[in-house]
Amino acid sequence: MEIFIELSIIIGITVLISGIMKLLKQPLIIGYILAGIVVSPYFLNIIQSTDTIVVFSQIGVALLLFIIGLSLSPKVIKEVGKVSLITGIGQIIFTSLIGFFIGKLLGFSTLISFYIAIALTFSSTIIIMKLLSDKKDLGKLYGKISIGFLLVQDFFVIILLMIVSSFSGKMKGISNLNFETILVGILFLGGFILISIYALPRLSKFFAKSQEFLFLFAIGWGLGIAALFHYIGLSMEIGALIAGITLSISPYNYEISSRMRPLRDFFIILFFILLGSQIVLGEISKFIIPAIIFSLFILIGNPLIVMILMGLLGYKKKVSFQSGLTVAQISEFSLIFIALGVTVGHLTTEILSLVTIIGLITIAGSSYLILYSDKIYPYLSKYLTIFEKKKLKEKKEDIEEYDAFLFGSNRIGDDILKSLKELKKKFMVIDYNPKTIAELSKENIDCKYGDASDSEFLNELNLSSVKLIFSTIPDFETNSLLISETKKVNKKAIIIVISYYIDEANELYKKGATYVVMPHFLGGNYASMMIKKNKLDFDKFLKEKEKHLKYLKSKKRLGHEHPKAEKDR
């Protein structure tokens, strides 16, 4: 009963502090860590059943990594393209190297500097996904790229956790690394990949017959593989992550992930509370200066690294700026990595306290930077021009007149292109993805590299004589700006935009949109028209089927799969 009362008080305090964090628009993880500090021996001294809470927190970490693993499908890296891979790897290399030298300059040992430097390279996939989702920016170019290089970091974590967990006791040198354990781990990884490809899809169909049984199977699979890896001498963390990855290609991975999140949330709260309670406040004074220096490096240096790399790859300064801000914090992985270093005897709890303080500062700071990036950008825009590759900058040219502007050449845009070609209208495609512009140029399609959310760029276009504006960008703010700028100079332009939400569609109509396409409702509307047209004639529906299959085949050939982000809505 004592543990029940203890947990109840701890959760109550956490609810109160997290509520304050929510009002301040901060990630709740900060509230959890602060709650841990409050219930620690330095303040209320509530935590007595430490062993029980440690077990609960370990379960939380395992479930966290299992769920992250579910999103790490082997197909993901291919989908996000080379920019995510190059930027992700580049950011890891430069952040770790600079972080290591900062550690050495601050007087830390080589081993401690190495651990801190590696911990600084990780950014929080969970926090970034949440913030991008809140801003409805998951579908934007910078959102996709950011998620891409965050996933590259997550794959890097797999390797590091495997290496660190292969140390034992107080061993401190690479010569003591148990390569036999690593080899066994790699063999297990290969085996589980084969199982995930050939066995799990069939088994999951059986388990999916009952939602309750599917949930039970997922817990058993995740914790079971985590326990197996712990038994062979590797960490349960890497086991849980691999367990999630093996289920990531299952058609039920979204269902499993959504059902397990409430369970994960409860146990992971206890991990961060425990982490906060273990901060050595008596030693904080000597770590204040290092914590501030490392935090400034993460908040300023990391975004600069990403902006430089993306600028070299040909991306515009706004995309680079917003992408850079997503790595301006350290991750829950950073804390898990340092905690693992403490467990194997490489680090002291003082270093865990230092990295936790860096986490609190950077997570809080970057949250505001990301949420208000659109408002911050105009103030920094003129200074960020140095991060654009000069040879790819727009050249001043004579303004041509076009019948239509298509903003965004994606799945819907491809169909609009065909219609404009058939009507023999003069049109231009606007897109802010260099790869898309390169492909359109090869097809001799008039195109321009630019951002529809940039009013300066819109003013460079000749909107006064255009007859049709079509935006395939499902972002309310961008479409509002596009409508506003067009209406200023051209009252009679036909403006068609996209929206996923009824309230936003109504607002866009009020602002002057001629028509708002709502993809979620178009399917039902078209099916209704098809029934009226063909009545109940079986042969006519077969013709519709053949026509649709041909259309889907052409879409598949172009790589126009339905975006996964939409599945999560």
Side-chain angles (χ1 to χ4, degrees):
M1 181 60 75
E2 287 76 13
I3 181 65
F4 177 79
I5 295 172
E6 187 179 321
L7 278 174
S8 300
I9 295 171
I10 291 170
I11 295 299
I13 292 171
T14 305
V15 169
L16 180 62
I17 295 175
S18 298
I20 296 171
M21 292 299 104
K22 188 73 174 173
L23 291 173
L24 295 173
K25 295 185 178 179
Q26 287 297 311
L28 294 185
I29 183 176
I30 295 177
Y32 305 154
I33 296 173
L34 290 177
I37 295 173
V38 170
V39 301
S40 73
Y42 292 94
F43 289 96
L44 300 181
N45 195 24
I46 293 174
I47 294 182
Q48 302 297 323
S49 308
T50 307
D51 291 342
T52 304
I53 295 178
V54 166
V55 172
F56 284 171
S57 69
Q58 288 176 335
I59 294 172
V61 170
L63 292 174
L64 170 69
L65 294 170
F66 176 67
I67 291 174
I68 288 176
L70 284 170
S71 67
L72 296 181
S73 168
K75 300 174 184 176
V76 169
I77 293 298
K78 183 180 177 181
E79 290 172 2
V80 296
K82 97 176 167 181
V83 60
S84 295
L85 194 59
I86 293 172
T87 309
I89 293 173
Q91 183 265 324
I92 288 170
I93 292 171
F94 288 111
T95 300
S96 57
L97 285 175
I98 297 171
F100 178 79
F101 285 115
I102 292 174
K104 293 294 288 181
L105 288 172
L106 290 172
F108 292 105
S109 70
T110 299
L111 184 62
I112 291 174
S113 297
F114 169 77
Y115 265 97
I116 294 175
I118 296 299
L120 298 182
T121 65
F122 306 144
S123 303
S124 178
T125 304
I126 292 174
I127 291 173
I128 299 309
M129 289 279 280
K130 180 69 169 62
L131 292 172
L132 290 177
S133 177
D134 289 345
K135 286 187 69 182
K136 298 174 186 173
D137 282 0
L138 286 170
K140 285 189 175 181
L141 179 61
Y142 93 89
K144 292 177 181 178
I145 292 171
S146 299
I147 293 168
F149 56 66
L150 288 170
L151 292 178
V152 171
Q153 289 181 2
D154 291 343
F155 278 111
F156 182 58
V157 168
I158 296 175
I159 300 169
L160 279 174
L161 288 178
M162 185 176 287
I163 292 173
V164 174
S165 64
S166 65
F167 287 91
S168 59
K170 301 273 183 183
M171 297 179 182
K172 299 180 189 272
I174 193 70
S175 60
N176 294 312
L177 187 61
N178 190 339
F179 289 104
E180 185 179 338
T181 303
I182 292 181
L183 181 60
V184 171
I186 293 172
L187 290 174
F188 268 103
L189 176 60
F192 287 128
I193 289 173
L194 291 174
I195 291 171
S196 71
I197 294 172
Y198 298 106
L200 281 180
R202 296 176 183 176
L203 288 173
S204 58
K205 286 181 182 178
F206 170 72
F207 293 122
K209 290 179 181 178
S210 165
Q211 298 295 313
E212 200 172 328
F213 195 22
L214 182 66
F215 175 65
L216 183 62
F217 162 70
I219 295 175
W221 181 259
L223 296 184
I225 293 182
L228 178 61
F229 269 68
H230 178 72
Y231 177 75
I232 66 173
L234 293 168
S235 73
M236 65 168 190
E237 288 90 349
I238 184 63
L241 196 61
I242 288 172
I245 293 171
T246 57
L247 280 179
S248 66
I249 60 174
S250 164
Y252 309 104
N253 64 330
Y254 293 102
E255 177 69 20
I256 293 170
S257 180
S258 63
R259 283 183 163 269
M260 292 193 69
R261 280 194 183 104
L263 189 66
R264 171 209 68 184
D265 289 343
F266 172 73
F267 285 108
I268 201 63
I269 285 170
L270 295 176
F271 168 78
F272 289 111
I273 290 172
L274 184 66
L275 200 62
S277 71
Q278 293 174 341
I279 291 178
V280 185
L281 293 178
E283 303 293 334
I284 279 183
S285 58
K286 71 178 184 181
F287 286 132
I288 287 294
I289 300 301
I292 291 173
I293 292 172
F294 280 125
S295 297
L296 287 174
F297 170 56
I298 296 302
L299 287 167
I300 300 172
N302 256 5
L304 286 175
I305 290 169
V306 170
M307 282 190 277
I308 291 169
L309 290 170
M310 290 188 64
L312 292 172
L313 290 171
Y315 286 85
K316 278 214 160 189
K317 57 187 178 182
K318 186 174 183 180
V319 178
S320 302
F321 173 70
Q322 291 184 307
S323 299
L325 292 183
T326 61
V327 295
Q329 87 289 124
I330 65 171
S331 166
E332 57 279 349
F333 274 130
S334 305
L335 303 177
I336 292 170
F337 179 68
I338 295 295
L340 189 58
V342 174
T343 302
V344 300
H346 291 169
L347 305 173
T348 64
T349 53
E350 292 177 357
I351 302 303
L352 179 59
S353 298
L354 168 63
V355 176
T356 304
I357 295 166
I358 296 170
L360 286 170
I361 295 171
T362 57
I363 290 170
S366 66
S367 296
Y368 283 111
L369 290 174
I370 294 167
L371 287 172
Y372 299 107
S373 62
D374 291 319
K375 295 180 179 178
I376 296 170
Y377 174 74
Y379 295 101
L380 300 176
S381 177
K382 61 181 180 181
Y383 304 109
L384 300 176
T385 306
I386 58 172
F387 296 107
E388 286 185 326
K389 200 170 182 180
K390 291 182 179 177
K391 72 175 185 178
L392 289 178
K393 284 185 190 176
E394 303 288 347
K395 292 181 180 179
K396 295 290 181 182
E397 53 187 319
D398 295 332
I399 297 177
E400 291 188 66
E401 291 188 359
Y402 288 91
D403 295 313
F405 284 120
L406 172 62
F407 289 86
S409 176
N410 59 10
R411 296 158 185 82
I412 297 173
D414 181 62
D415 291 327
I416 307 304
L417 276 177
K418 290 177 182 176
S419 297
L420 292 171
K421 286 177 182 176
E422 288 174 9
L423 290 172
K424 296 183 179 178
K425 297 296 181 182
K426 189 175 183 181
F427 63 90
M428 173 179 275
V429 180
I430 314 292
D431 205 293
Y432 63 1
N433 188 337
K435 184 180 177 182
T436 301
I437 293 298
E439 290 172 354
L440 291 170
S441 296
K442 287 178 184 176
E443 297 176 27
N444 294 319
I445 294 173
D446 282 355
C447 55
K448 188 181 275 286
Y449 177 54
D451 187 355
S453 63
D454 185 347
S455 58
E456 293 178 13
F457 171 74
L458 293 179
N459 290 331
E460 293 176 9
L461 301 175
N462 189 0
L463 299 176
S464 60
S465 60
V466 72
K467 295 182 176 62
L468 170 69
I469 297 276
F470 198 117
S471 169
T472 68
I473 305 163
D475 178 67
F476 177 75
E477 297 297 334
T478 300
N479 287 327
S480 295
L481 177 66
L482 185 56
I483 293 168
S484 173
E485 293 298 321
T486 305
K487 287 295 179 182
K488 283 179 186 177
V489 296
N490 190 342
K491 300 287 184 184
K492 294 185 177 181
I494 300 167
I495 306 174
I496 303 175
V497 295
I498 296 239
S499 177
Y500 291 118
Y501 306 99
I502 294 174
D503 290 340
E504 288 187 359
N506 288 329
E507 281 298 313
L508 291 169
Y509 275 126
K510 288 179 184 176
K511 290 176 183 292
T514 311
Y515 191 80
V516 180
V517 177
M518 303 194 71
H520 292 156
F521 300 127
L522 272 183
N525 186 42
Y526 179 78
S528 173
M529 291 171 60
M530 192 166 57
I531 291 170
K532 289 178 182 177
K533 173 186 169 185
N534 299 324
K535 303 193 183 300
L536 300 179
D537 190 312
F538 182 74
D539 292 330
K540 288 182 178 179
F541 271 96
L542 282 181
K543 289 179 181 178
E544 294 283 356
K545 174 184 174 180
E546 290 302 319
K547 194 193 305 180
H548 194 219
L549 283 170
K550 187 177 179 181
Y551 176 76
L552 291 177
K553 189 176 180 181
S554 68
K555 286 291 183 185
K556 183 78 173 179
R557 189 174 60 252
L558 292 169
H560 289 175
E561 293 283 359
H562 194 271
K564 287 187 177 181
E566 291 305 313
K567 293 181 183 177
D568 292 330
R569 286 188 183 274

Short mmCIF file of all heavy atoms in Angstrom, two decimals, residues 87-103 113-114 116-123 153 294 297-298 301-306 309 327 329-330:
data_model
loop_
_atom_site.label_atom_id
_atom_site.label_comp_id
_atom_site.label_asym_id
_atom_site.label_seq_id
_atom_site.Cartn_x
_atom_site.Cartn_y
_atom_site.Cartn_z
N THR A 87 22.38 15.40 -44.63
CA THR A 87 22.27 16.35 -43.52
C THR A 87 22.37 15.64 -42.18
O THR A 87 23.03 16.11 -41.26
CB THR A 87 20.94 17.12 -43.59
OG1 THR A 87 20.79 17.67 -44.90
CG2 THR A 87 20.91 18.24 -42.58
N GLY A 88 21.70 14.48 -42.07
CA GLY A 88 21.73 13.72 -40.82
C GLY A 88 23.13 13.28 -40.45
O GLY A 88 23.58 13.48 -39.32
N ILE A 89 23.83 12.67 -41.42
CA ILE A 89 25.19 12.20 -41.16
C ILE A 89 26.14 13.38 -40.91
O ILE A 89 26.96 13.35 -40.00
CB ILE A 89 25.70 11.33 -42.33
CG1 ILE A 89 24.88 10.03 -42.41
CG2 ILE A 89 27.18 11.02 -42.16
CD1 ILE A 89 25.18 9.18 -43.62
N GLY A 90 26.00 14.43 -41.72
CA GLY A 90 26.85 15.61 -41.56
C GLY A 90 26.67 16.26 -40.20
O GLY A 90 27.65 16.64 -39.54
N GLN A 91 25.42 16.38 -39.77
CA GLN A 91 25.15 16.98 -38.46
C GLN A 91 25.74 16.14 -37.33
O GLN A 91 26.32 16.68 -36.37
CB GLN A 91 23.63 17.14 -38.27
CG GLN A 91 23.22 17.82 -36.97
CD GLN A 91 22.89 16.83 -35.88
OE1 GLN A 91 22.33 15.76 -36.15
NE2 GLN A 91 23.23 17.15 -34.66
N ILE A 92 25.62 14.83 -37.44
CA ILE A 92 26.19 13.93 -36.42
C ILE A 92 27.71 14.11 -36.33
O ILE A 92 28.27 14.25 -35.24
CB ILE A 92 25.84 12.46 -36.74
CG1 ILE A 92 24.35 12.20 -36.49
CG2 ILE A 92 26.69 11.50 -35.89
CD1 ILE A 92 23.86 10.86 -37.00
N ILE A 93 28.37 14.14 -37.48
CA ILE A 93 29.84 14.25 -37.52
C ILE A 93 30.31 15.58 -36.94
O ILE A 93 31.15 15.62 -36.03
CB ILE A 93 30.37 14.07 -38.96
CG1 ILE A 93 30.14 12.62 -39.43
CG2 ILE A 93 31.85 14.42 -39.04
CD1 ILE A 93 30.41 12.41 -40.91
N PHE A 94 29.76 16.68 -37.45
CA PHE A 94 30.23 18.00 -37.03
C PHE A 94 29.85 18.31 -35.58
O PHE A 94 30.65 18.89 -34.83
CB PHE A 94 29.71 19.08 -37.97
CG PHE A 94 30.36 19.07 -39.32
CD1 PHE A 94 29.65 18.69 -40.46
CD2 PHE A 94 31.69 19.42 -39.46
CE1 PHE A 94 30.26 18.67 -41.70
CE2 PHE A 94 32.31 19.40 -40.71
CZ PHE A 94 31.60 19.02 -41.83
N THR A 95 28.64 17.94 -35.16
CA THR A 95 28.23 18.21 -33.78
C THR A 95 29.10 17.43 -32.79
O THR A 95 29.53 17.97 -31.77
CB THR A 95 26.75 17.84 -33.57
OG1 THR A 95 25.94 18.62 -34.45
CG2 THR A 95 26.31 18.11 -32.14
N SER A 96 29.34 16.16 -33.10
CA SER A 96 30.14 15.34 -32.19
C SER A 96 31.59 15.82 -32.12
O SER A 96 32.19 15.87 -31.03
CB SER A 96 30.09 13.86 -32.59
OG SER A 96 30.52 13.68 -33.93
N LEU A 97 32.18 16.21 -33.26
CA LEU A 97 33.56 16.69 -33.27
C LEU A 97 33.70 18.00 -32.49
O LEU A 97 34.59 18.14 -31.63
CB LEU A 97 34.05 16.90 -34.71
CG LEU A 97 34.39 15.64 -35.51
CD1 LEU A 97 34.73 16.00 -36.95
CD2 LEU A 97 35.56 14.89 -34.87
N ILE A 98 32.83 18.95 -32.78
CA ILE A 98 32.89 20.25 -32.09
C ILE A 98 32.58 20.06 -30.60
O ILE A 98 33.25 20.64 -29.74
CB ILE A 98 31.93 21.26 -32.73
CG1 ILE A 98 32.33 21.53 -34.19
CG2 ILE A 98 31.92 22.57 -31.95
CD1 ILE A 98 31.31 22.34 -34.97
N GLY A 99 31.57 19.24 -30.30
CA GLY A 99 31.21 18.97 -28.91
C GLY A 99 32.35 18.34 -28.14
O GLY A 99 32.58 18.67 -26.96
N PHE A 100 33.09 17.43 -28.79
CA PHE A 100 34.23 16.77 -28.14
C PHE A 100 35.31 17.80 -27.78
O PHE A 100 35.84 17.79 -26.66
CB PHE A 100 34.81 15.70 -29.07
CG PHE A 100 36.02 15.00 -28.52
CD1 PHE A 100 35.87 13.98 -27.58
CD2 PHE A 100 37.30 15.37 -28.92
CE1 PHE A 100 36.99 13.33 -27.06
CE2 PHE A 100 38.42 14.72 -28.42
CZ PHE A 100 38.26 13.70 -27.48
N PHE A 101 35.64 18.68 -28.71
CA PHE A 101 36.68 19.68 -28.45
C PHE A 101 36.23 20.69 -27.38
O PHE A 101 37.03 21.14 -26.57
CB PHE A 101 37.08 20.40 -29.74
CG PHE A 101 37.93 19.56 -30.64
CD1 PHE A 101 37.48 19.14 -31.89
CD2 PHE A 101 39.20 19.15 -30.24
CE1 PHE A 101 38.26 18.35 -32.71
CE2 PHE A 101 40.01 18.36 -31.05
CZ PHE A 101 39.53 17.96 -32.29
N ILE A 102 34.94 21.02 -27.35
CA ILE A 102 34.43 21.90 -26.29
C ILE A 102 34.60 21.22 -24.94
O ILE A 102 35.02 21.84 -23.95
CB ILE A 102 32.94 22.26 -26.53
CG1 ILE A 102 32.81 23.17 -27.75
CG2 ILE A 102 32.35 22.96 -25.30
CD1 ILE A 102 31.37 23.47 -28.14
N GLY A 103 34.28 19.90 -24.89
CA GLY A 103 34.43 19.14 -23.65
C GLY A 103 35.87 19.13 -23.16
O GLY A 103 36.14 19.32 -21.97
N SER A 113 34.27 13.48 -22.43
CA SER A 113 34.05 14.38 -23.58
C SER A 113 33.41 13.63 -24.73
O SER A 113 32.52 14.16 -25.42
CB SER A 113 35.37 15.01 -24.03
OG SER A 113 35.93 15.81 -23.02
N PHE A 114 33.85 12.37 -24.94
CA PHE A 114 33.28 11.55 -26.00
C PHE A 114 31.79 11.30 -25.74
O PHE A 114 30.96 11.48 -26.64
CB PHE A 114 34.03 10.22 -26.09
CG PHE A 114 33.37 9.20 -26.98
CD1 PHE A 114 33.47 9.28 -28.35
CD2 PHE A 114 32.63 8.16 -26.43
CE1 PHE A 114 32.84 8.35 -29.17
CE2 PHE A 114 32.00 7.22 -27.24
CZ PHE A 114 32.12 7.32 -28.61
N ILE A 116 29.66 13.00 -23.82
CA ILE A 116 28.88 14.24 -23.91
C ILE A 116 28.70 14.64 -25.37
O ILE A 116 27.60 15.02 -25.80
CB ILE A 116 29.55 15.37 -23.11
CG1 ILE A 116 29.53 15.06 -21.61
CG2 ILE A 116 28.85 16.70 -23.37
CD1 ILE A 116 30.29 16.06 -20.76
N ALA A 117 29.79 14.56 -26.16
CA ALA A 117 29.73 14.95 -27.57
C ALA A 117 28.71 14.12 -28.34
O ALA A 117 27.93 14.66 -29.14
CB ALA A 117 31.11 14.81 -28.20
N ILE A 118 28.71 12.81 -28.08
CA ILE A 118 27.75 11.93 -28.77
C ILE A 118 26.33 12.25 -28.31
O ILE A 118 25.40 12.32 -29.13
CB ILE A 118 28.08 10.44 -28.50
CG1 ILE A 118 29.44 10.08 -29.10
CG2 ILE A 118 26.98 9.55 -29.07
CD1 ILE A 118 29.53 10.24 -30.60
N ALA A 119 26.15 12.48 -27.01
CA ALA A 119 24.81 12.80 -26.49
C ALA A 119 24.26 14.08 -27.12
O ALA A 119 23.05 14.20 -27.37
CB ALA A 119 24.86 12.94 -24.97
N LEU A 120 25.14 15.04 -27.41
CA LEU A 120 24.70 16.31 -27.99
C LEU A 120 24.21 16.16 -29.44
O LEU A 120 23.52 17.05 -29.94
CB LEU A 120 25.85 17.33 -27.96
CG LEU A 120 26.38 17.73 -26.59
CD1 LEU A 120 27.47 18.79 -26.74
CD2 LEU A 120 25.29 18.23 -25.67
N THR A 121 24.59 15.08 -30.10
CA THR A 121 24.20 14.92 -31.51
C THR A 121 22.75 14.50 -31.68
O THR A 121 22.17 14.67 -32.76
CB THR A 121 25.09 13.86 -32.22
OG1 THR A 121 24.85 12.57 -31.64
CG2 THR A 121 26.55 14.20 -32.09
N PHE A 122 22.14 13.93 -30.63
CA PHE A 122 20.77 13.41 -30.75
C PHE A 122 19.74 14.51 -30.53
O PHE A 122 19.85 15.29 -29.60
CB PHE A 122 20.51 12.30 -29.72
CG PHE A 122 21.50 11.18 -29.77
CD1 PHE A 122 21.91 10.53 -28.60
CD2 PHE A 122 22.05 10.75 -30.97
CE1 PHE A 122 22.81 9.50 -28.63
CE2 PHE A 122 22.97 9.72 -31.01
CZ PHE A 122 23.35 9.10 -29.84
N SER A 123 18.75 14.57 -31.40
CA SER A 123 17.62 15.48 -31.24
C SER A 123 16.37 14.65 -31.02
O SER A 123 16.27 13.52 -31.48
CB SER A 123 17.47 16.37 -32.47
OG SER A 123 18.66 17.08 -32.72
N GLN A 153 19.44 9.86 -37.27
CA GLN A 153 19.99 9.86 -35.91
C GLN A 153 19.54 8.63 -35.13
O GLN A 153 20.33 8.01 -34.41
CB GLN A 153 19.54 11.12 -35.16
CG GLN A 153 20.17 12.41 -35.63
CD GLN A 153 19.70 13.60 -34.81
OE1 GLN A 153 18.94 13.45 -33.86
NE2 GLN A 153 20.15 14.78 -35.17
N PHE A 294 27.51 24.41 -23.44
CA PHE A 294 26.99 23.31 -24.27
C PHE A 294 25.59 23.64 -24.79
O PHE A 294 25.25 23.34 -25.94
CB PHE A 294 26.95 22.01 -23.46
CG PHE A 294 28.28 21.31 -23.36
CD1 PHE A 294 28.81 20.98 -22.12
CD2 PHE A 294 29.00 20.96 -24.49
CE1 PHE A 294 30.03 20.34 -22.02
CE2 PHE A 294 30.22 20.31 -24.40
CZ PHE A 294 30.75 20.00 -23.16
N PHE A 297 25.77 26.03 -27.65
CA PHE A 297 26.24 25.31 -28.83
C PHE A 297 25.09 24.57 -29.51
O PHE A 297 24.95 24.60 -30.75
CB PHE A 297 27.34 24.32 -28.45
CG PHE A 297 27.72 23.37 -29.56
CD1 PHE A 297 28.13 23.83 -30.80
CD2 PHE A 297 27.63 21.99 -29.35
CE1 PHE A 297 28.45 22.95 -31.82
CE2 PHE A 297 27.95 21.11 -30.37
CZ PHE A 297 28.35 21.58 -31.61
N ILE A 298 24.24 23.92 -28.71
CA ILE A 298 23.11 23.18 -29.27
C ILE A 298 22.07 24.13 -29.87
O ILE A 298 21.54 23.90 -30.96
CB ILE A 298 22.45 22.30 -28.18
CG1 ILE A 298 23.42 21.24 -27.68
CG2 ILE A 298 21.18 21.64 -28.71
CD1 ILE A 298 23.93 20.32 -28.74
N GLY A 301 24.72 26.53 -32.50
CA GLY A 301 25.65 25.79 -33.36
C GLY A 301 24.99 24.72 -34.20
O GLY A 301 25.26 24.61 -35.41
N ASN A 302 24.11 23.93 -33.61
CA ASN A 302 23.46 22.85 -34.36
C ASN A 302 22.64 23.38 -35.54
O ASN A 302 22.75 22.87 -36.66
CB ASN A 302 22.58 22.01 -33.42
CG ASN A 302 23.23 20.69 -33.07
OD1 ASN A 302 24.37 20.43 -33.45
ND2 ASN A 302 22.52 19.85 -32.35
N PRO A 303 21.78 24.40 -35.33
CA PRO A 303 21.06 24.97 -36.49
C PRO A 303 21.99 25.51 -37.57
O PRO A 303 21.71 25.35 -38.76
CB PRO A 303 20.23 26.10 -35.86
CG PRO A 303 20.01 25.66 -34.45
CD PRO A 303 21.29 24.97 -34.06
N LEU A 304 23.11 26.13 -37.17
CA LEU A 304 24.06 26.66 -38.14
C LEU A 304 24.65 25.53 -38.99
O LEU A 304 24.80 25.67 -40.22
CB LEU A 304 25.18 27.43 -37.44
CG LEU A 304 24.81 28.81 -36.89
CD1 LEU A 304 25.98 29.39 -36.11
CD2 LEU A 304 24.39 29.76 -38.00
N ILE A 305 24.98 24.40 -38.35
CA ILE A 305 25.54 23.25 -39.07
C ILE A 305 24.55 22.77 -40.13
O ILE A 305 24.91 22.53 -41.29
CB ILE A 305 25.89 22.11 -38.09
CG1 ILE A 305 27.10 22.51 -37.23
CG2 ILE A 305 26.19 20.81 -38.84
CD1 ILE A 305 27.36 21.57 -36.06
N VAL A 306 23.28 22.63 -39.73
CA VAL A 306 22.24 22.15 -40.66
C VAL A 306 22.02 23.16 -41.78
O VAL A 306 21.89 22.78 -42.95
CB VAL A 306 20.93 21.87 -39.90
CG1 VAL A 306 19.79 21.61 -40.87
CG2 VAL A 306 21.10 20.67 -38.97
N LEU A 309 24.86 22.91 -44.34
CA LEU A 309 24.76 21.68 -45.15
C LEU A 309 23.63 21.78 -46.16
O LEU A 309 23.79 21.41 -47.34
CB LEU A 309 24.55 20.47 -44.23
CG LEU A 309 25.75 20.07 -43.36
CD1 LEU A 309 25.34 19.02 -42.33
CD2 LEU A 309 26.88 19.53 -44.22
N VAL A 327 16.84 20.77 -34.69
CA VAL A 327 17.90 20.02 -34.00
C VAL A 327 18.51 20.85 -32.87
O VAL A 327 19.59 20.54 -32.38
CB VAL A 327 19.01 19.57 -34.98
CG1 VAL A 327 18.48 18.57 -35.97
CG2 VAL A 327 19.64 20.76 -35.70
N GLN A 329 17.99 21.03 -29.79
CA GLN A 329 17.78 20.47 -28.45
C GLN A 329 18.37 19.08 -28.40
O GLN A 329 18.66 18.49 -29.44
CB GLN A 329 16.29 20.45 -28.08
CG GLN A 329 15.52 19.23 -28.53
CD GLN A 329 15.30 19.17 -30.01
OE1 GLN A 329 15.66 18.22 -30.66
NE2 GLN A 329 14.72 20.22 -30.60
N ILE A 330 18.62 18.58 -27.19
CA ILE A 330 19.05 17.20 -27.09
C ILE A 330 17.83 16.32 -26.84
O ILE A 330 16.74 16.83 -26.56
CB ILE A 330 20.13 16.98 -26.00
CG1 ILE A 330 19.59 17.28 -24.60
CG2 ILE A 330 21.37 17.80 -26.30
CD1 ILE A 330 20.54 16.88 -23.48
#
